[in-house]
Amino acid sequence: MLLTGAEILVKSLLNEGVDTIFGYPGGAVLNIYDYLYKYKDKIKHYLSCHEQGAAHAADGYARSTGKVGVCIATSGPGATNLVTGIATAYMDSVPLVAITGNVSKDLLGKDSFQEVDITGITMPITKHNFIVKDINNLQETIRKAFFIAREGRPGPVLIDIPKDITSNKTEYKDLKPLEVEPKSKHITEDVLAEVAKYINESSKPLIYAGGGVINANATEELINFAEKLNAPVATTLMCRGAIPSGHRLNTGMIGMHGSNASNILATRCDLIIALGARFSDRVISDREFINNAKVIQIDVDPAEVNKNVKVDSFIIGDIKVALQRLIPLLDDKKNQEWLNTVDDLKLLAVTKNNNDNGEELTPKFLFEKLSDMDKGDFIIATEVGQHQMWTAQFFNFKTPRTLISSGGLGTMGFGLGAAIGAKVANPEKTVFNIAGDGSFGMNCNEFATAVKYNIPIKIIVMNNNALGMVRQWQSLFYEARYSQTTLDRATDFVKLAEAFGGVGFRVEKRDELENVLNEALAINKPVIIDYRIDSDKKVFPMVAPGAPIHQIINEEDLEC
């Protein structure tokens, strides 16, 4: 069957199971968009306000489902506008395929109108990228791109297609997607036995669980593993929801804004078991505590093993498979003395700053209300900043893939697009975007996208008239010199919501919150809630940059 490159692309996407694309058209992708129009009954296209919003929406779609998210942009500025979204997906191991158009082959390398070397630009932030210069390679390139995005450690792949490739014709055959198998060839009996020996000899183990657990769909195995060992579980931001917040072994987040319990346990354990976690600088800080314990690492990506921390033993391979084969080799443990220590330290989890004495609006008050209302169908997207950390600390996550947040890159402006993608992928779920007023200002134009398609996401702007996290650092480490972090904007978020065609609410008193949330949930439209908090509210606990993980700053320390 002789088809144009544009039709081959669209039919190949259908073969990969794609039914949703986020994008923005332009001259270099007109042929592709013409076929998207012809196949609009099979692939739903969402027109974003900005290409970055399309990339974040595809990312949110992927994180909330485990499927590959797809976005498309034209050449030049359209392609470069995807870069931040691609980098965000890369840092958090999100399966994404970004498709860009380019000028025709004869115009490449000549500084042509809207030409840019997008494969060169994105080489450091993709698992792989392609420029298709021969139409005969197009179909196989698409199949490879989806395979690479999904296999092993997931990540973004970019396909750049010159315009003449989309109009040329070649033979097309219906081909099945390349099959992805869990990586297990290095999970041998010998390595399993060695790791099991370390675990069985331990009396104070700590499980350090990262986003790789969720990527591997290994959350059930994580819980079984923890319960067999009676070992506390400290999670990274990317792993929130992998074990329910209320589980007896969950000690909360670890790292710079981790719980007192998780951070102190990391210095008192005799074995750290890292599952799908990369020992990032925001978790381990100065690495001093690693010297106090043996370290085991299980990860699908061999590049992560011994990269940031020297380990005593490791398993390279799919975490789900590794845990399924490892658990039968482990002794059932009581570890009662260790568990008593865990329970004692968990009582330190709430500091004075996070208590809710008085009538002011606080982050904890908000998230307790949201947690009470969640019947297991809430997905929480976030922007980046204080509100992101409060979400991770205070919301009662019950299941995986319910926190959609930019961890590695820390992309302000991520949450709104991601919430749109998550809601499109999960129409039966209630999707919130928790934002700061600074982050929301980055990409608030995407609220128009939500209104256009009536995607009824609920945005809560934690409005403190400041770039809160940067202000917090200035308060603690720069003698309160608030350089360019007080926003002083006259933006009325209620009117902004209405101007875009949505619904706006404002909460200034505690007794208003529950009614506003109930009203927002009852409205089948996009909603913005302006939630006013004090600009000096800080995120605690906190570990100063570069300080040992157990040197924790709590609010009461500042009052001394």
Side-chain angles (χ1 to χ4, degrees):
M1 183 177 2
L2 204 62
L3 300 178
T4 66
E7 189 165 13
I8 288 171
L9 169 63
V10 174
K11 289 180 74 69
S12 297
L13 292 175
L14 288 168
N15 282 345
E16 296 291 339
V18 175
D19 57 13
T20 304
I21 293 177
F22 305 90
Y24 205 100
V29 289
L30 276 175
N31 295 329
I32 297 170
Y33 270 84
D34 192 44
Y35 277 96
L36 285 174
Y37 180 84
K38 294 175 182 177
Y39 285 84
K40 62 184 177 182
D41 59 327
K42 295 182 178 179
I43 296 179
K44 173 72 172 177
H45 180 280
Y46 291 87
L47 175 65
S48 61
C49 292
H50 188 284
E51 291 88 353
Q52 184 179 336
H56 292 329
D59 183 315
Y61 182 98
R63 291 186 201 233
S64 64
T65 62
K67 299 177 183 178
V68 179
V70 181
C71 58
I72 185 169
T74 192
S75 62
T80 57
N81 282 345
L82 290 179
V83 169
T84 297
I86 294 170
T88 302
Y90 179 75
M91 290 292 284
D92 289 342
S93 304
V94 178
L96 185 137
V97 170
I99 299 163
T100 55
N102 214 327
V103 299
S104 297
K105 285 187 299 178
D106 61 326
L107 295 177
L108 290 171
K110 298 180 180 179
D111 293 331
S112 303
F113 177 68
Q114 290 194 333
E115 179 202 358
V116 74
D117 178 11
I118 195 62
T119 54
I121 290 169
T122 59
M123 189 174 293
I125 56 167
T126 52
K127 270 187 82 176
H128 196 76
N129 63 25
F130 302 89
I131 180 168
V132 182
K133 295 184 177 180
D134 183 344
I135 190 173
N136 297 304
N137 298 329
L138 178 60
Q139 185 177 6
E140 192 59 29
T141 297
I142 297 162
R143 295 175 77 223
K144 286 179 181 177
F146 276 84
F147 173 80
I148 293 169
R150 295 192 311 263
E151 70 91 31
R153 179 179 183 171
V157 179
L158 180 133
I159 310 171
D160 191 39
I161 311 175
K163 188 171 183 179
D164 54 331
I165 297 296
T166 65
S167 59
N168 293 345
K169 290 187 176 182
T170 193
E171 284 293 325
Y172 169 82
K173 295 180 181 178
D174 276 324
L175 299 173
K176 293 181 180 179
L178 296 171
E179 192 170 346
V180 175
E181 295 287 344
K183 290 195 170 185
S184 60
K185 71 175 182 178
H186 297 299
I187 308 176
T188 65
E189 296 303 321
D190 287 344
V191 299
L192 287 166
E194 180 177 284
V195 167
K197 182 174 184 293
Y198 275 104
I199 295 173
N200 288 332
E201 290 175 353
S202 165
S203 61
K204 297 186 293 183
L206 173 68
I207 298 169
Y208 159 45
V213 173
I214 292 176
N215 284 341
N217 296 315
T219 55
E220 182 179 349
E221 286 74 14
L222 167 65
I223 294 170
N224 292 340
F225 181 61
E227 290 178 346
K228 184 161 191 178
L229 298 182
N230 260 319
V233 180
T235 65
T236 66
L237 175 69
M238 292 291 96
C239 199
R240 302 300 283 152
I243 179 170
S245 296
H247 192 285
R248 64 184 177 87
L249 294 173
N250 187 348
T251 58
M253 200 162 61
I254 188 171
M256 178 174 282
H257 291 292
S259 69
N260 287 281
S262 289
N263 285 8
I264 294 171
L265 287 168
T267 69
R268 297 187 184 178
C269 65
D270 61 10
L271 178 68
I272 295 172
I273 307 166
L275 305 177
R278 56 191 177 88
F279 292 99
S280 83
D281 59 298
R282 284 295 173 101
V283 170
I284 64 169
S285 194
D286 76 342
R287 298 170 172 79
E288 176 184 306
F289 76 95
I290 297 295
N291 298 327
N292 300 327
K294 300 291 185 183
V295 181
I296 289 169
Q297 191 169 3
I298 303 177
D299 206 290
V300 73
D301 185 357
E304 288 299 338
V305 177
N306 289 319
K307 183 178 84 173
N308 293 328
V309 166
K310 177 70 175 173
V311 302
D312 296 282
S313 187
F314 61 85
I315 299 174
I316 303 293
D318 182 84
I319 294 170
K320 188 180 185 76
V321 174
L323 290 180
Q324 286 174 342
R325 294 180 60 185
L326 179 62
I327 289 172
L329 305 179
L330 303 177
D331 300 334
D332 290 311
K333 287 182 174 284
K334 299 297 183 186
N335 289 335
Q336 193 56 55
E337 186 177 344
W338 181 230
L339 289 181
N340 290 340
T341 300
V342 171
D343 290 339
D344 289 343
L345 290 173
K346 285 175 77 171
L347 295 176
L348 299 175
V350 178
T351 66
K352 290 181 182 178
N353 181 69
N354 296 328
N355 284 332
D356 277 325
N357 300 322
E359 295 301 317
E360 68 171 341
L361 292 176
T362 64
K364 188 170 187 285
F365 180 70
L366 170 64
F367 290 111
E368 284 181 344
K369 286 292 183 187
L370 284 176
S371 295
D372 289 344
M373 298 175 80
D374 180 20
K375 306 305 180 188
D377 71 334
F378 282 10
I379 294 176
I380 309 292
T382 80
E383 306 290 348
V384 169
Q386 288 178 312
H387 58 278
Q388 177 189 33
M389 295 297 101
W390 286 320
T391 303
Q393 289 177 340
F394 295 136
F395 186 75
N396 183 16
F397 291 98
K398 300 177 179 69
T399 55
R401 301 194 185 279
T402 51
L403 174 62
I404 313 296
S405 192
S406 171
L409 196 64
T411 306
M412 292 176 69
F414 166 79
L416 178 50
I420 289 171
K423 181 62 178 176
V424 166
N426 302 271
E428 76 289 355
K429 303 268 189 179
T430 299
V431 178
F432 284 89
N433 176 37
I434 307 298
D437 45 333
S439 282
F440 186 66
M442 291 274 185
N443 283 331
C444 63
N445 53 342
E446 292 303 333
F447 193 68
T449 305
V451 171
K452 171 182 170 66
Y453 295 102
N454 196 28
I455 303 168
I457 57 174
K458 316 303 176 185
I459 301 162
I460 301 177
V461 179
M462 300 185 74
N463 185 358
N464 62 359
N465 191 40
L467 301 179
M469 187 63 84
V470 186
R471 179 185 171 89
Q472 175 167 330
W473 282 43
Q474 289 172 334
S475 176
L476 297 177
F477 311 122
Y478 292 86
E479 299 178 331
R481 293 186 293 274
Y482 299 125
S483 177
Q484 303 303 316
T485 50
T486 302
L487 293 178
D488 282 334
R489 293 172 179 166
T491 307
D492 184 323
F493 292 115
V494 174
K495 290 182 179 178
L496 184 145
E498 294 168 353
F500 275 110
V503 178
F505 296 96
R506 184 171 290 110
V507 176
E508 297 179 290
K509 298 177 181 178
R510 284 192 171 216
D511 59 8
E512 297 171 342
L513 178 60
E514 188 169 350
N515 287 338
V516 166
L517 288 174
N518 283 325
E519 283 190 64
L521 291 172
I523 295 170
N524 190 37
K525 284 186 176 183
V527 171
I528 297 174
I529 299 171
D530 181 4
Y531 184 81
R532 298 294 182 91
I533 63 171
D534 189 276
S535 60
D536 285 320
K537 185 64 66 178
K538 294 179 176 62
V539 182
F540 289 113
M542 180 181 185
V543 176
I549 195 172
H550 62 281
Q551 289 186 7
I552 302 165
I553 304 170
N554 291 300
E555 184 182 24
E556 51 265 39
D557 300 321
L558 302 182
E559 295 172 352
C560 299

